Amino acid sequence: MLKIHVDMDKCQHYGQCVFDAPEVFALNDDDKLEYKATADDSERENVQRAVDICPMQAISFTE
Ligand code: SF4
C-alpha cells in the first residue's frame, strides 16, 4: 500500500501528475487537484512518474 501526500502549499494545480497517475490524481470541476491518500502497490510506477514530473516537487509517498 502506498501512502501519498501532496503539499498543497506548493501545488499549483498544473495537472501533470494526472496524466501519469490518473487513478490517483484528478482535477476537480474547479481545476483543483484532488488525490487519493492511499493507493495499491500496482500504482507505484505511475506515482513515481508523477513525483518526477511535478514541477513544484509537491508529491511524496511512502510504501
Ligand atoms: S503535478 Fe504537482 S503541481 Fe501539478 S497538480 Fe500535480 S501535484 Fe500539483
Side-chain angles (χ1 to χ4, degrees):
M1 184 69 74
L2 309 178
K3 292 186 179 178
I4 299 158
H5 177 73
V6 178
D7 184 338
M8 296 309 270
D9 290 333
K10 290 182 180 175
C11 176
Q12 296 297 316
H13 311 280
Y14 297 134
Q16 281 93 331
C17 54
V18 177
F19 290 103
D20 278 313
E23 298 294 325
V24 177
F25 303 99
L27 293 178
N28 67 18
D29 291 343
D30 295 325
D31 287 335
K32 298 293 185 188
L33 181 72
E34 293 182 346
Y35 68 101
K36 295 177 184 167
T38 59
D40 194 84
D41 288 343
S42 62
E43 285 294 315
R44 189 188 183 289
E45 278 189 28
N46 291 344
V47 173
Q48 182 63 58
R49 272 204 299 272
V51 168
D52 293 341
I53 201 93
C54 175
M56 303 308 294
Q57 299 177 331
I59 306 170
S60 59
F61 71 95
T62 57
E63 298 181 64

